[in-house]
Amino acid sequence: MRIDRSKWRRRAILGIAVAWLPLGVCVADAVRGSYIQLNRGHGDMSVGAWSADILQMQSAGINTLIVQWSAENGVAYFRADDLPYPEQYDVLEKLFAAVRGTGMQVFLGLRHETHYWEQIQGRDRVVQDYMRLRVSQNEVLQRALLRRFGEEAAWVGYYIPDEMDDLSWREESRRRYLQKYLSMMGMLIRAHDADRRIGISAFVRVRSAPSVFADLLST
């Protein structure tokens, strides 16, 4: 069978949400959601193409789509005249047009930072300043998302794309930075949107004892 690799890169759903964390609550009893990582190639997708993908997901029992990020490094995957991103693509507009009336739920991720893993390895002051910058960037993006999609019934929650791993936050001081960041993000989101849920995920590469990682997730 011949594989159209360009089509795969453009349209592939890149992750399955077996478990995701709505700020402290772990749900892992069934696969009901799928992640997608947007890129410039998704700008070519039509509403019909999105509809076909959503139909396939629903036939597999998927009822939740987690858009891992809505913007990254100067690229926004929706159009907003007052958003300081030089590249903008109407991806989310087409996605919401496709999900209306289907019962599919959508979580919108905030800003993806490609240098996240490098920045969180810096000195304590660097990490603190970086986390404050992330909060500010996400506030600008959240406001733009609300102006553009605030009335979309399918939009049920936010996704914080700064994933928690089992190595970077083992030290108590680093854990406090993470906790403060998530607290600030939660308060920020709630200040502008009191109802939609908030999600974040974690992953393990067996670099900490299970009890250590469980302690991180529980706090």
Side-chain angles (χ1 to χ4, degrees):
M1 179 178 69
R2 180 177 178 275
I3 298 176
D4 185 341
R5 296 187 182 277
S6 63
K7 182 178 179 181
W8 171 256
R9 285 194 296 270
R10 184 175 70 249
R11 297 182 56 187
I13 301 300
L14 298 178
I16 295 295
V18 177
W20 64 279
L21 308 175
L23 280 190
V25 180
C26 181
V27 180
D29 58 343
V31 177
R32 291 290 183 265
S34 179
Y35 287 91
I36 183 169
Q37 297 178 343
L38 297 182
N39 57 54
R40 291 176 177 86
H42 289 96
D44 297 330
M45 284 186 65
S46 65
V47 174
W50 278 114
S51 296
D53 283 355
I54 289 165
L55 182 61
Q56 288 187 333
M57 283 187 278
Q58 290 186 308
S59 67
I62 300 298
N63 61 19
T64 302
L65 180 60
I66 304 169
V67 179
Q68 199 157 355
W69 50 73
S70 300
E72 56 178 340
N73 293 6
V75 181
Y77 296 105
F78 65 103
R79 297 194 180 278
D81 293 338
D82 55 348
L83 194 64
Y85 289 81
E87 287 187 66
Q88 299 186 7
Y89 302 90
D90 57 349
V91 178
L92 294 182
E93 287 87 344
K94 294 174 183 176
L95 171 61
F96 278 115
V99 302
R100 288 184 198 122
T102 66
M104 180 73 78
Q105 298 183 335
V106 178
F107 279 75
L108 290 183
L110 296 174
R111 188 181 188 276
H112 175 224
E113 173 54 70
T114 56
H115 300 293
Y116 169 74
W117 297 106
E118 301 168 18
Q119 293 291 335
I120 64 174
Q121 301 306 319
R123 296 181 179 180
D124 288 359
R125 181 59 183 272
V126 172
V127 175
Q128 291 182 73
D129 291 344
Y130 177 67
M131 291 304 194
R132 293 190 187 99
L133 176 62
R134 294 286 295 137
V135 172
S136 176
Q137 292 170 334
N138 281 324
E139 181 174 21
V140 172
L141 182 58
Q142 184 203 10
R143 287 176 178 270
L145 288 169
L146 282 169
R147 286 191 294 269
R148 190 69 182 86
F149 306 109
E151 301 303 317
E152 293 288 349
W155 180 17
V156 299
Y158 297 86
Y159 179 77
I160 300 173
D162 307 302
E163 297 170 344
M164 299 178 291
D165 69 309
D166 59 335
L167 178 64
S168 302
W169 311 104
R170 288 191 300 185
E171 298 177 10
E172 184 62 30
S173 62
R174 295 300 173 107
R175 187 178 305 181
R176 287 197 299 269
Y177 300 150
L178 176 64
Q179 291 169 339
K180 184 175 181 180
Y181 170 66
L182 293 179
S183 177
M184 291 172 64
M185 282 301 307
M187 289 188 293
L188 162 71
I189 292 171
R190 285 287 168 260
H192 304 299
D193 191 343
D195 299 320
R196 290 185 173 93
R197 287 174 280 170
I198 304 171
I200 187 169
S201 70
F203 66 91
V204 180
R205 286 187 282 182
V206 197
R207 296 179 296 181
S208 295
S211 59
V212 173
F213 192 51
D215 186 52
L216 168 66
L217 297 182
S218 67
T219 57

